[in-house]
């Protein structure tokens, strides 16, 4: 089973939920797909046992046989190629590849009439795997200045073990990296807080999940007397609020020291186990956002 933990914006407690969930249930695996700013390892403190480079394929040109026909530029849907033809009597032209715009689709290489293009590996980040107690752990770290995170997210997700309950800590927001991380999940848990901003970002996140038609539930973090803001919306949208984590000083102090909720309040292990039961029943009942 794959459960993605997501939120419409950063700072709502998404990682707190993902990590404490993984620590509370049996047979869990945590995959941190927030590759631009992974931080679940700070709380889980896994022992890293394997590191490998994450690479994408980008095109390169053999200028000895290129005829500067422009075909590669025309077929690139992402504007990642510019062809400067040779000017009369002034030597060779140039094919420029903008690596940060390239989506590694391979179209230009396939359609070059002169077979002048080939692919080369380009490092985009690193994938680390390890273990924290009984929890298997994988995360990706995107290289600085690297513009596109979805390829690395997809590579982190290749580590999903179908024998485990895989919890994905998704990037915050509602853009392509979120889609890449929640796609293929059996359930999406949206973490929010009971404020007008929290509600606004939750609505955006729900709209994103709707496009994938995945079953979804809500966790209210920093629950307080304003919960009705989220609950009214959840009733209208028929999305269950599955758990509340109170606005509690002990939790905040523990968080600031990198200590998990279940370490200071072990009773939360049962609450997260209950959350898994709710999700399992919801999946069985096929309750999606329609
Ligand atoms: S399609 Fe091939 S031959 Fe034409 S400009 Fe591009 S690399 Fe050169
Ligand atoms: S591989 Fe695809 S995205 Fe990259 S430069 Fe070629 S056509 Fe454009």
């Amino acid at each position: 089973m794959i459960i993605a933990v997501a939120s419409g914006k950063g700072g709502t407690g998404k990682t707190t939920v993902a990590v404490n969930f993984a620590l509370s249930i049996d047979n869990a695996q945590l995959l941190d797909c927030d590759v631009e700013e992974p931080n679940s390892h700070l709380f889980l403190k896994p022992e890293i046992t394997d590191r490998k480079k994450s690479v994408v394929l980008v095109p390169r040109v053999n200028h000895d046989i290129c005829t500067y026909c422009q075909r590669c530029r025309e077929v690139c849907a992402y504007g990642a190629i510019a062809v400067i033809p040779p000017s009369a009597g002034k030597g060779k032209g140039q094919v420029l590849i903008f690596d940060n715009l390239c989506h590694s689709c391979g179209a230009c290489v396939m359609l070059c009439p002169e077979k002048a293009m080939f692919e080369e590996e380009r490092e985009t980040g690193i994938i680390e795997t390890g273990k924290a107690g009984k929890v298997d752990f994988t995360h990706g770290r995107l290289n600085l200045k690297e513009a596109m995170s979805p390829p690395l997210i997809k590579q982190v997700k290749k580590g999903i073990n179908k024998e485990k309950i895989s919890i994905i800590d998704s990037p915050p927001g509602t853009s392509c990296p979120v889609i890449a991380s929640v796609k293929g999940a059996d359930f999406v848990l949206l973490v929010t807080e009971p404020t007008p901003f929290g509600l606004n970002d939750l609505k955006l996140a729900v709209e994103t999940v709707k496009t994938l038609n995945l079953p979804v539930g809500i966790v209210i973090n920093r629950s307080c007397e304003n919960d009705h803001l989220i609950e009214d919306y959840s009733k209208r949208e028929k999305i269950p609020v599955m758990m509340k984590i109170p606005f509690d000083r002990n939790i905040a102090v523990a968080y600031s020291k990198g200590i998990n909720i279940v370490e200071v309040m072990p009773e939360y292990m049962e609450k997260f186990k209950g959350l898994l039961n709710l999700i399992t029943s919801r999946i069985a009942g096929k309750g999606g956002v329609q």
Side-chain angles (χ1 to χ4, degrees):
M1 184 193 305
I2 303 170
I3 302 168
V5 183
S7 65
K9 72 174 179 73
T12 54
K14 172 182 60 64
T15 296
T16 301
V17 170
V19 170
N20 284 279
F21 199 1
L23 285 170
S24 301
I25 59 176
D26 294 329
N27 201 27
Q29 172 188 36
L30 181 69
L31 299 110
D32 191 344
C33 286
D34 189 359
V35 297
E36 288 178 47
E37 216 170 329
N39 59 7
S40 58
H41 64 286
L42 300 174
F43 297 92
L44 203 58
K45 303 174 186 75
E47 185 190 343
I48 299 297
T49 51
D50 187 51
R51 283 185 181 85
K52 63 178 182 206
K53 288 176 185 169
S54 138
V55 294
V56 291
L57 293 175
V58 286
R60 295 291 178 252
V61 177
N62 179 347
H63 283 86
D64 291 337
I65 51 177
C66 172
T67 58
Y68 307 100
C69 69
Q70 304 276 349
R71 182 75 178 128
C72 51
R73 180 189 59 77
E74 288 161 6
V75 300
C76 181
Y78 303 99
I81 300 181
V83 179
I84 304 167
S87 48
K90 287 195 181 165
K92 289 194 160 192
Q94 223 180 337
V95 178
L96 302 172
I97 315 279
F98 305 112
D99 286 353
N100 275 338
L101 296 178
C102 174
H103 282 55
S104 304
C105 71
C108 54
V109 178
M110 209 183 323
L111 296 171
C112 169
E114 307 299 330
K115 304 284 174 240
M117 298 189 100
F118 58 95
E119 288 176 310
E120 193 176 87
E121 287 188 347
R122 186 172 71 82
E123 192 183 326
T124 61
I126 194 161
I127 297 171
E128 295 179 319
T129 55
K131 217 167 167 66
K134 59 191 173 101
V135 180
D136 288 357
F137 176 79
T138 302
H139 73 176
R141 292 174 190 264
L142 197 68
N143 284 349
L144 283 177
K145 296 187 182 165
E146 185 61 45
M148 275 189 299
S149 59
L152 177 52
I153 290 171
K154 285 177 194 160
Q155 287 178 41
V156 171
K157 286 175 73 179
K158 280 189 184 155
I160 287 175
N161 180 347
K162 290 191 174 138
E163 306 294 313
K164 299 260 174 190
I165 296 172
S166 306
I167 308 221
I168 293 177
D169 187 359
S170 298
T174 54
S175 56
C176 295
V178 181
I179 301 276
S181 67
V182 305
K183 202 170 179 180
D186 297 298
F187 197 89
V188 182
L189 260 187
L190 293 175
V191 182
T192 188
E193 51 192 10
T195 63
F197 288 125
L199 176 60
N200 182 60
D201 292 321
L202 174 66
K203 286 178 180 173
L204 295 174
V206 167
E207 289 306 310
T208 303
V209 176
K210 264 185 188 177
T211 64
L212 299 170
N213 196 29
L214 296 171
V216 64
I218 295 171
V219 173
I220 302 181
N221 190 28
R222 300 186 194 101
S223 162
C224 64
E225 67 279 2
N226 292 330
D227 285 358
H228 61 89
L229 280 174
I230 304 298
E231 287 166 334
D232 292 348
Y233 168 75
S234 80
K235 277 181 201 138
R236 280 199 307 278
E237 292 290 326
K238 299 188 175 58
I239 303 171
V241 172
M242 299 179 124
M243 188 177 187
K244 293 183 180 184
I245 300 171
F247 197 21
D248 183 297
R249 191 171 185 279
N250 290 333
I251 293 176
V253 170
Y255 178 85
S256 68
K257 294 178 181 167
I259 300 171
N260 295 300
I261 298 174
V262 293
E263 291 171 64
V264 286
M265 299 163 95
E267 65 272 22
Y268 266 82
M269 282 200 156
E270 286 310 310
K271 294 186 192 245
F272 279 105
K273 285 190 174 102
L275 176 63
L276 179 62
N277 290 338
L278 284 174
I279 290 173
T280 307
S281 333
R282 191 82 183 170
I283 293 172
K286 300 283 178 215
V289 182
Q290 303 298 333

